[in-house]
Amino acid sequence: MSAPVFLVEPDRLSGESVVLDGPEGRHAAAVRRLRAGERVDLTDGAGLLAECVVTAAGKATLTLDVLARHRHPRPEPRLVVVQALPKGDRGELAVETMTEVGVDEIVPWAASRCVTQWRPERRDKALGRWRSTAREAAKQARRPWFPEITELATTAHVAERIKAASSALILHETATSPLSAVRAPTTGEIILIVGPEGGISDDELDDFTAAGGRPTLLGPTVLRTSTAGVAAAAVLLAATGRW
């Protein structure tokens, strides 16, 4: 069984002993009930993973000795998914599964046909749920690099990201070029755009293609927006050799 993973600040991994406290410490001690002698891995979410062993357990803290440190390089190419806001809790489902497979950045996108809209008074709470979901999924998946969840993006902002990317692919049902046939770059940034349940509007598609985006077809079936991203990411991760 793999050792559980907990997130800590980078400067706390420099010494030979670490005190795990706060929410992570409470979860480790009170929920996971970890005790002296058990293995634990700590990460800063930015490439550093420390193999540790518990030396003492309190009610809400663990004291650990560091056995080894591993520095993992940032994955290349970087995979960014622009995810149109799904309905209900399907946004968290999309974030969870894309984090598990290895997506590096998720950009929530307020597409014109999104049923869900993050109104200003609720935006921070909704974004917080996405970030919390990504953090927990990254720990479960034992990722040394945690994904970035950006602020809510407009169509204009997405178009600017497309211009700067090494490759930008738009999942669209009218495309004739299959995603599986794309020759993905080995460096830089790949942007994958996933539209809402109602589809990407003609104006949005025009803006994205004008910026350099390429419409592609994921497959013969229609997927929900919350599952299309993880399916497409798996194809690209295999094509780039990251899988």
Side-chain angles (χ1 to χ4, degrees):
M1 181 176 177
S2 299
V5 177
F6 296 95
L7 181 67
V8 299
E9 297 82 1
D11 58 354
R12 302 182 69 179
L13 294 178
S14 58
E16 298 306 313
S17 180
V18 180
V19 175
L20 184 64
D21 53 12
E24 294 287 85
R26 285 193 296 274
H27 183 75
V31 179
R32 297 297 298 265
R33 297 181 181 274
L34 296 171
R35 296 295 180 259
E38 294 191 79
R39 278 269 294 107
V40 170
D41 286 345
L42 302 179
T43 182
D44 63 357
L48 179 60
L49 187 139
E51 297 178 4
C52 304
V53 63
V54 180
T55 56
K59 291 183 178 180
T61 63
L62 294 182
T63 303
L64 309 105
D65 281 350
V66 177
L67 304 177
R69 294 179 182 83
H70 305 279
R71 174 65 68 179
H72 298 262
R74 187 185 291 274
E76 282 281 341
R78 194 165 185 268
L79 179 57
V80 178
V81 175
V82 175
Q83 173 67 61
L85 301 179
K87 296 183 291 186
D89 60 357
R90 289 187 175 275
E92 287 93 293
L93 173 64
V95 170
E96 180 180 51
T97 53
M98 288 192 289
T99 298
E100 288 175 358
V101 299
V103 170
D104 301 295
E105 182 180 342
I106 301 171
V107 180
W109 170 38
S112 62
R113 293 177 178 172
C114 286
V115 174
T116 295
Q117 294 293 336
W118 287 358
R119 303 190 183 281
E121 66 274 14
R122 297 183 178 180
R123 186 174 299 171
D124 288 346
K125 184 176 181 180
L127 187 59
R129 287 197 300 269
W130 278 37
R131 287 173 172 166
S132 176
T133 298
R135 182 174 60 251
E136 295 307 311
K139 291 192 293 183
Q140 181 67 33
R142 302 183 59 79
R143 288 186 55 168
W145 284 92
F146 283 22
E148 177 185 357
I149 311 295
T150 72
E151 297 289 334
L152 183 66
T154 63
T155 297
H157 178 260
V158 174
E160 290 302 314
R161 291 290 302 264
I162 290 173
K163 292 177 182 178
S166 300
S167 176
L169 305 167
I170 310 161
L171 299 184
H172 201 271
E173 66 275 8
T174 65
T176 56
S177 176
L179 181 64
S180 59
V182 169
R183 294 187 64 181
T186 57
T187 60
E189 185 171 274
I190 301 173
I191 292 183
L192 178 69
I193 299 171
V194 182
E197 301 288 1
I200 297 173
S201 72
D202 291 342
D203 287 345
E204 289 165 341
L205 185 60
D206 288 344
D207 288 345
F208 293 161
T209 54
R214 175 182 171 187
T216 57
L217 185 66
L218 178 56
T221 60
V222 177
L223 276 66
R224 289 184 179 272
T225 185
S226 54
T227 53
V230 68
V235 173
L236 290 173
L237 289 165
T240 59
R242 284 184 51 177
W243 270 23

